[in-house]
Amino acid sequence: MSLTVMSAGFGRTGTMSLKLALEQLGFGPCHHMIEVIHNGETQVPLWNAALAGKPDYAAIYDGYHSAVDWPTAAFWEETAAAYPDAKIILSTRSPESWYASISETILATVWKPETWPPQAVEWFKMVTKVLERSFGDARDKDALIKAFEAHEASVKAAFPDDRLLVHSAKDGWEPLCAHLGVTVPDGPYPRTNNRDEFFQHMKDADDM
């Protein structure tokens, strides 16, 4: 199986909703950080190797038809080059709302190593490196928003319009389905992974 769709959008830009949407449209299984949590013994070493400059994308995405969220978003250029026929999505939201969300969820856990449970330390170390790859040394609000905006600008500049869709969860099914050449399904676009759900996922990481 080979990736046919990938998102370059950072976490907390509706990536879990996009994962569910892609799977509903037939582009699953979809790789997401939750897959790394649930398959840490296999996935964490593979991503550590990628961070060390020795990626094995065939192994990372073995069994997956699409990929969203981090760690993929930190390797968007390399992944897009490895799968040149894959459609690209940039999941997005306003910079201010993104910062409000990530600062209260991901950064509130990953950037507090004293709270990491022993059984999840290797996962947290890997995620920390993934965030550093995306943000550099940015830590305060202004620097993080600047990194977010620079990332989005780079993605938009990298692909032609027929390969890239900039998509917000509020845009719903229509532009996504048009981009992927599939029929709009019945029912609402998925909306999930609020703050409470995020911390449940972190509990899953604690139980790794």
Side-chain angles (χ1 to χ4, degrees), residues 1-202:
M1 188 177 291
S2 178
L3 291 188
T4 57
V5 186
M6 60 161 285
S7 175
F10 283 170
R12 309 310 298 174
T13 59
T15 56
M16 180 59 78
S17 296
L18 180 58
K19 167 184 166 67
L20 297 178
L22 290 172
E23 291 178 340
Q24 186 174 337
L25 294 172
F27 295 95
C30 180
H31 190 282
H32 181 283
M33 184 63 84
I34 196 67
E35 308 294 322
V36 183
I37 292 174
H38 291 160
N39 301 285
E41 288 187 6
T42 301
Q43 285 279 315
V44 170
L46 286 169
W47 284 109
N48 278 331
L51 287 159
K54 299 177 180 178
D56 184 346
Y57 295 112
I60 286 171
Y61 298 118
D62 183 34
Y64 293 98
H65 203 69
S66 55
V68 303
D69 197 59
W70 282 306
T72 298
F75 292 84
W76 63 273
E77 290 177 284
E78 296 89 341
T79 306
Y83 299 95
D85 296 326
K87 288 283 191 176
I88 311 298
I89 301 167
L90 175 61
S91 55
T92 188
R93 66 192 297 180
S94 75
E96 287 285 341
S97 68
W98 171 79
Y99 175 78
S101 179
I102 196 171
S103 64
E104 295 177 5
T105 52
I106 295 172
L107 303 186
T109 55
V110 176
W111 284 357
K112 292 186 177 179
E114 67 276 9
T115 68
W116 298 350
Q119 65 273 25
V121 165
E122 292 307 310
W123 179 81
F124 275 104
K125 286 181 178 178
M126 181 274 294
V127 174
T128 299
K129 293 176 183 177
V130 166
L131 295 181
E132 289 173 351
R133 184 178 173 92
S134 293
F135 301 151
D137 59 0
R139 288 295 182 272
D140 62 44
K141 177 181 177 179
D142 289 345
L144 286 165
I145 286 179
K146 184 177 180 180
F148 175 83
E149 292 175 330
H151 170 76
E152 293 209 334
S154 294
V155 174
K156 291 174 184 177
F159 304 107
D161 291 344
D162 61 352
R163 192 178 181 196
L164 174 67
L165 171 70
V166 179
H167 185 266
S168 172
K170 69 181 186 312
D171 297 334
W173 286 118
E174 284 76 9
L176 179 63
C177 293
H179 184 59
L180 299 177
V182 296
T183 302
V184 175
D186 294 331
Y189 184 84
R191 299 299 295 268
T192 189
N193 204 18
N194 59 29
R195 287 170 177 78
D196 290 341
E197 289 172 314
F198 171 84
F199 285 109
Q200 180 57 51
H201 294 322
M202 289 299 95

